[in-house]
Amino acid sequence: MKPRKQLIDAAVANGSIDRMNMLLSAAHLLNCEANCLVEEASDLMTENGLLLGDLKKLHNDFVRVADKYFKEFATLVTTDTAKMDLFSDLDGFDSAFREWAKVPNDWKPKDVPSNETDL
């Protein structure tokens, strides 16, 4: 078995490390976006009394795991420049994704008059 340094040097030389960094960065942006969308949906479910039962439990499980993931990933982003680059990338990706998915960020619920007979 090759020593670890040799393996890393070979992966750097053949471009695998650069490719891995790009794939993990892209995956992280997708995870950030997915987390934001799930949180927005859960806020709507909560506001409308729809986050119930197993869905509520599974959502809470998801949030705990996502928090652990993002906390661990944050240890890899060590400089202020890298942090600002990440936020800039996420803002740009979020804007482009929301346009593509037709889920604008500035959505507001319709103002529906209440029906007093529903009380």
Side-chain angles (χ1 to χ4, degrees):
M1 180 181 244
K2 292 182 181 180
R4 178 179 274 181
K5 173 122 174 61
Q6 268 187 304
L7 293 172
I8 293 171
D9 289 345
V12 168
N14 73 18
S16 292
I17 295 292
D18 288 339
R19 175 71 174 172
M20 179 194 68
N21 284 335
M22 294 300 291
L23 290 169
L24 290 174
S25 293
H28 185 67
L29 282 176
L30 288 171
N31 284 329
C32 289
E33 186 67 23
N35 190 63
C36 289
L37 296 172
V38 166
E39 283 303 314
E40 185 177 336
S42 72
D43 289 348
L44 288 170
M45 286 186 278
T46 299
E47 288 168 14
N48 290 281
L50 302 172
L51 191 58
L52 304 165
D54 285 343
L55 184 58
K56 183 173 184 173
K57 181 197 174 308
L58 292 170
H59 173 72
N60 290 338
D61 292 346
F62 171 83
V63 169
R64 274 191 294 280
V65 171
D67 286 346
K68 286 180 183 179
Y69 167 83
F70 290 116
K71 184 177 180 181
E72 180 62 27
F73 196 91
T75 66
L76 302 174
V77 184
T78 57
T79 67
D80 288 341
T81 301
K83 289 174 188 174
M84 295 310 294
D85 288 346
L86 175 63
F87 289 125
S88 176
D89 288 349
L90 185 54
D91 283 345
F93 182 77
D94 178 64
S95 179
F97 179 80
R98 285 178 177 273
E99 182 178 334
W100 174 82
K102 297 173 183 64
V103 286
N105 203 18
D106 60 352
W107 180 87
K108 300 274 189 253
K110 295 175 185 171
D111 189 21
V112 180
S114 66
N115 186 347
E116 292 184 8
T117 59
D118 290 340
L119 299 176

